[in-house]
Amino acid sequence: MVEIKMKTRTTGATATMAARGQASLRTETGGTLDVVTSVSDPGFNPLDLLYSSLAACLVLSVKGAVSRLQLMERFEGVSAHVTGDKAHDGPSRVEKMTCIIRIGGDYNEDERQDIVRLAKELCTVSNTLTYLPSVELVAEKL
């Protein structure tokens, strides 16, 4: 069995938006990003950020899985393409997400499946989406 060690770092993000203008994000670690709202504007909207978070976590987790399975010598790279289908009924939400993971390297089908299976276990974002966290909203004066 593969031992999984967890490293932690400060996490969180703050979104701000003035009466006029776009929303912007700032992470606890100092990253910044503007958020677009128009369907024709290039950039990230909230759903893009959701899909991007899952895709990024999966590629990092694949590399971690390859390392833990001692298959690094054949690893050439990885890509994850994430899309989603919005629900047609009920609350506004994504009903289904599809993740296509392409792993570069001389791996057979069983090895690729083992890598993806372990990567899913390692991916915090995938686990969070699978095991739905509670969401608590607190209203305060700005």
Side-chain angles (χ1 to χ4, degrees), residues 72-115:
M72 240 357 234
E73 71 280 352
R74 292 182 275 155
F75 183 68
E76 295 174 3
V78 60
S79 73
H81 181 72
V82 177
T83 57
D85 298 320
K86 285 191 80 175
H88 297 287
D89 61 340
S92 180
R93 70 193 189 287
V94 175
E95 186 172 61
K96 177 185 175 189
M97 297 174 101
T98 302
C99 310
I100 299 171
I101 300 173
R102 292 184 174 93
I103 303 167
D106 186 23
Y107 300 111
N108 63 42
E109 183 62 25
D110 287 340
E111 289 171 322
R112 276 193 302 278
Q113 292 305 317
D114 288 344
I115 292 167

Side-chain angles (χ1 to χ4, degrees), residues 52-88:
S52 297
S53 293
L54 180 55
C57 193
L58 285 169
V59 298
L60 294 170
S61 296
V62 163
K63 188 170 182 185
V66 167
S67 176
R68 289 176 190 205
L69 294 170
Q70 300 180 357
L71 300 171
M72 240 357 234
E73 71 280 352
R74 292 182 275 155
F75 183 68
E76 295 174 3
V78 60
S79 73
H81 181 72
V82 177
T83 57
D85 298 320
K86 285 191 80 175
H88 297 287

